[in-house]
Amino acid sequence: MTGVASTPRRGETEIQEKREVATDTCLLRCSGPGKDPFHPLPGQYVTFRLQREGKPVTRSYSITSDPTPQPEFELVVKRVEGGLASNLLCDAAVGDRFNVILPLGKFAVHEPGDRQLLFVATGTGIAPFFPMVRSVRHRFPDTRTSLVVGYRYPADLILNDRWVDLAREWDRFQLLNVLSRPDAPWTGRSGHVQDVLGKDFPDLSHYDVYICGAPEMVTDVQSYAIDHGTPKDRVFVERY
């Protein structure tokens, strides 16, 4: 792991842009707190400090924007039925302000040496992989890198054009989208991410594995990676 992140700072962020990027999922572009640019490391997150019904609520969201010093940041938020924070943020308008702390977290890319990299996510668990995979391309451009990401329906794919463009530009990168409930003509993989791992990655002894998403999936994939050759200290996880 290289690079030095900014010291976490507290302050207000203002929503600069909001747009829907998948079913019930919005992308928020927000101003950083303070006047000076901040430098998040790939994989770090921002914590929102909110008030709901007079009670404090804190929720954390991975930063999806480039891992460079910047005055703004991006994140993706999925609306959740009964969610205390996600619905508030998805219903927010440009110009709304919130209290935040950032950057935080230790989920990061480690130097791979001669190993390949496998990133596995479901849903918004893909969020930290946007800057993490881009940093791999910049720092380790010869490293073979695969991303396996699971969704339910085609309309759930999050910012997929970014990954398609990256695969077109970087011949060391492979994208595998997996749908558990394809409800339209679909030429990609079907099932769950665990199914794809079993078919496409039977031997992980030469891989570093990064996993982010629902706790049950993370636990399953973590066990699969270790059982199929990845050393425990080369499996890195973030649970949502």
Side-chain angles (χ1 to χ4, degrees):
M1 182 173 63
T2 62
V4 178
S6 297
T7 300
R9 63 177 73 171
R10 299 170 181 261
E12 279 195 330
T13 184
E14 179 179 304
I15 296 180
Q16 308 287 320
E17 177 187 1
K18 186 185 81 169
R19 60 187 175 93
E20 187 167 302
V21 293
T23 300
D24 291 330
T25 304
C26 64
L27 181 142
L28 301 178
R29 181 171 58 85
C30 307
S31 64
K35 297 180 179 179
D36 297 327
F38 66 98
H39 187 188
L41 294 180
Q44 289 195 300
Y45 60 85
V46 54
T47 293
F48 282 74
R49 304 169 67 226
L50 308 170
Q51 289 286 329
R52 292 302 304 267
E53 300 177 354
K55 298 180 180 180
V57 176
T58 61
R59 291 291 187 274
S60 298
Y61 299 92
S62 293
I63 297 169
T64 64
S65 41
D66 286 333
T68 57
Q70 53 194 292
E72 300 175 335
F73 62 93
E74 284 184 350
L75 52 90
V76 292
V77 180
K78 183 174 180 61
R79 188 182 295 277
V80 178
E81 184 176 355
L84 294 176
S86 61
N87 294 333
L88 178 63
L89 293 174
C90 284
D91 290 336
V94 171
D96 285 353
R97 303 179 70 86
F98 299 94
N99 290 319
V100 295
I101 309 173
L102 81 167
L104 298 166
K106 298 181 179 179
F107 192 46
V109 175
H110 297 254
E111 294 194 26
D114 60 355
R115 301 174 65 79
Q116 298 182 51
L117 301 183
L118 173 62
F119 293 83
V120 184
T122 51
T124 54
I126 198 174
F129 292 163
F130 286 100
M132 292 174 78
V133 172
R134 286 195 294 266
S135 75
V136 172
R137 185 192 180 192
H138 175 70
R139 294 168 53 203
F140 313 111
D142 294 329
T143 298
R144 292 191 178 277
T145 302
S146 299
L147 170 65
V148 179
V149 55
Y151 303 97
R152 290 185 178 182
Y153 306 105
D156 293 334
L157 272 66
I158 298 172
L159 298 170
N160 193 59
D161 57 330
R162 295 187 182 183
W163 297 118
V164 172
D165 290 344
L166 182 62
R168 186 182 302 115
E169 299 164 1
W170 183 26
D171 63 4
R172 295 285 180 169
F173 177 67
Q174 173 185 216
L175 169 66
L176 296 173
N177 285 317
V178 190
L179 297 186
S180 62
R181 301 178 185 177
D183 59 353
W186 173 250
T187 58
R189 306 300 180 90
S190 298
H192 297 87
V193 295
Q194 295 92 325
D195 301 323
V196 171
L197 297 182
K199 294 177 181 178
D200 291 59
F201 299 91
D203 179 4
L204 291 173
S205 57
H206 298 291
Y207 283 83
D208 286 356
V209 180
Y210 295 82
I211 315 164
C212 186
E216 183 177 354
M217 181 280 295
V218 171
T219 297
D220 286 350
V221 174
Q222 184 177 23
S223 296
Y224 179 89
I226 294 170
D227 290 344
H228 289 77
T230 306
K232 290 183 179 180
D233 64 351
R234 305 308 296 182
V235 180
F236 309 99
V237 305
E238 185 90 315
R239 289 177 172 85
Y240 271 32

